[in-house]
Amino acid sequence: MEIKNFNIVVIDFSKNVELEEGIKSLAITEFSCDGIEDFSLDEPTVDSILGERAYSGGDVPESVIDEVSERANAQTNDYKVKFYFFTDNCEENAKDFYEAVKEVEGLSVEMAQEEYSDWNDEWRKHYRPIEVSSRMTVIPEWFKEEGYKENDNAVYIYPGMGFGTGEHETTFLCLKHLDNIRDELPEEGTCLDFGCGSGILGIGTIKMKNMLVEFCDIDPAALDNCVQNLELNLVESRLNGHRLVIRNRFTPKKYDIVFANILEHVLKTEKEVLLDSLKPGSFLILSGILNEQVDGILEEYSSLENISVLSKGDWSAILMKKN
């Protein structure tokens, strides 16, 4: 029997973190990357860090994730992201991607190949449910239970696709803001998930407040992943009325809440579109922002009320309101 292999390109972004999101997009759109792993530790390492407080399954509280991440990073002094290639032409795609990024200044890049036989177990063991709050959990799809689509306190996701899965700080912080204002949002209101990626933020508003969501992205592959996650989370009757649109065909309307989890320069170039999408009393959540970029974005959007800024690691997310 033929033994298949999968290929991994490992990039250390610790010296140039602002390149991370752009290179992730490049990996998927140009080099057919099959999965991206932002942060992972095997169970023995986690148990070693937590000692007697080690978890044996179930939801992982935010405070524990923060502690493990910080202590692991302190021990390794790096910020490595793994890019997986395991479908057709995986070896060629991995090599092409490696060649494209290895000369980028400030990045450390490695490539490896491993046997495919235990791929599912190897892939899945790094992902556990992540508790955003007592009212919201992000759950990998293989943890779903009977009747799971009726659970409006959980967003189910196909991890590893690189489009926002709850592991990355920017997505997590947006969900925290959403949970914090959920009681101020109208039932059956409207939402724009701009740069939607996986659709996790828009899906969260559907689960919480039964909102109608417009999902917009520049990348057709992201919209495909968004459709996957919509179908994973919602019964057929709740799929009606939502809209997916590619960026060059998007015309803004007025929404009760707008998400833009993208990058600083895009938040600036798309400012007028985002502002035009707000009506009086609506909320805007901006992320994809490094901590040192917060003041610049606040100045750029100074016409709005700054409600709060949440930070996690190197990243921040801003909650604003149009008065």
Side-chain angles (χ1 to χ4, degrees), residues 152 187-193 196 199 201-216 223 226-227 229-245 250 253 255:
D152 279 346
E187 289 285 345
E188 301 183 354
T190 55
C191 168
L192 169 63
D193 191 350
C196 61
L201 304 178
I203 291 168
T205 65
I206 299 170
K207 292 274 187 138
M208 283 185 185
K209 307 296 290 191
N210 200 28
M211 286 191 166
L212 283 180
V213 181
E214 187 155 10
F215 298 89
C216 177
L223 294 176
C226 183
V227 170
N229 288 312
L230 281 164
E231 293 174 344
L232 172 65
N233 279 275
L234 304 172
V235 296
E236 187 173 353
S237 61
R238 294 185 76 182
L239 292 171
N240 297 329
H242 309 295
R243 183 168 179 257
L244 288 86
V245 59
F250 172 73
K253 304 179 184 69
Y255 308 87

Side-chain angles (χ1 to χ4, degrees), residues 23 25 45 59-60 77 80 86 98-99 119 124 139 148 155 167 187 195 202 208 240 254 288 300 310:
I23 287 180
S25 177
T45 304
D59 299 351
V60 183
N77 194 32
K80 292 183 178 179
F86 53 86
Y98 171 80
E99 293 295 331
W119 168 257
R124 293 185 178 195
I139 301 180
Y148 73 97
V155 175
E167 283 91 8
E187 289 285 345
M208 283 185 185
N240 297 329
K254 301 296 183 183
E300 195 79 22
L310 296 177

Side-chain angles (χ1 to χ4, degrees), residues 118-298:
D118 297 321
W119 168 257
N120 282 335
D121 290 339
E122 184 67 24
W123 179 250
R124 293 185 178 195
K125 74 180 183 182
H126 296 303
Y127 293 95
R128 308 293 297 177
I130 293 178
E131 183 181 281
V132 176
S133 75
S134 61
R135 304 186 295 180
M136 182 192 296
T137 306
V138 179
I139 301 180
E141 62 89 15
W142 52 84
F143 285 97
K144 62 185 185 290
E145 299 175 349
E146 185 176 354
Y148 73 97
K149 290 188 179 183
E150 306 300 327
N151 181 5
D152 279 346
N153 290 322
V155 175
Y156 297 88
I157 204 78
Y158 293 101
M161 293 305 295
F163 293 118
T165 62
E167 283 91 8
H168 196 275
E169 291 93 333
T170 57
T171 309
F172 183 88
L173 293 170
C174 288
L175 291 171
K176 289 292 286 186
H177 276 309
L178 174 62
D179 184 67
N180 289 340
I181 61 170
R182 67 188 300 171
D183 295 332
E184 301 179 56
L185 295 172
E187 289 285 345
E188 301 183 354
T190 55
C191 168
L192 169 63
D193 191 350
F194 189 81
C196 61
S198 66
I200 186 172
L201 304 178
I203 291 168
T205 65
I206 299 170
K207 292 274 187 138
M208 283 185 185
K209 307 296 290 191
N210 200 28
M211 286 191 166
L212 283 180
V213 181
E214 187 155 10
F215 298 89
C216 177
D217 205 286
I218 196 171
D219 183 358
L223 294 176
D224 289 342
N225 184 232
C226 183
V227 170
Q228 280 186 297
N229 288 312
L230 281 164
E231 293 174 344
L232 172 65
N233 279 275
L234 304 172
V235 296
E236 187 173 353
S237 61
R238 294 185 76 182
L239 292 171
N240 297 329
H242 309 295
R243 183 168 179 257
L244 288 86
V245 59
I246 199 75
R247 172 63 187 93
N248 61 13
R249 295 185 180 179
F250 172 73
T251 302
K253 304 179 184 69
K254 301 296 183 183
Y255 308 87
D256 294 296
I257 183 170
V258 175
F259 296 98
N261 180 17
I262 36 186
L263 293 172
E264 179 202 32
H265 73 279
V266 185
L267 291 175
K268 291 181 177 179
T269 59
E270 297 282 17
K271 180 180 74 172
E272 295 307 319
V273 171
L274 294 172
L275 292 177
D276 285 347
S277 300
L278 302 173
K279 58 186 177 182
S282 61
F283 293 94
L284 174 64
I285 297 176
L286 305 176
S287 194
I289 307 164
L290 291 167
N291 296 336
E292 61 266 25
Q293 298 169 344
V294 169
D295 289 343
I297 292 297
L298 288 174

Side-chain angles (χ1 to χ4, degrees), residues 37 40-49 68 122 125-126:
E37 183 181 299
S40 68
L41 289 172
D42 55 28
E43 290 186 16
T45 304
V46 174
D47 291 347
S48 174
I49 291 174
V68 171
E122 184 67 24
K125 74 180 183 182
H126 296 303

Side-chain angles (χ1 to χ4, degrees), residues 98-109:
Y98 171 80
E99 293 295 331
V101 297
K102 71 175 183 179
E103 302 300 332
V104 177
E105 185 176 356
L107 298 184
S108 174
V109 186

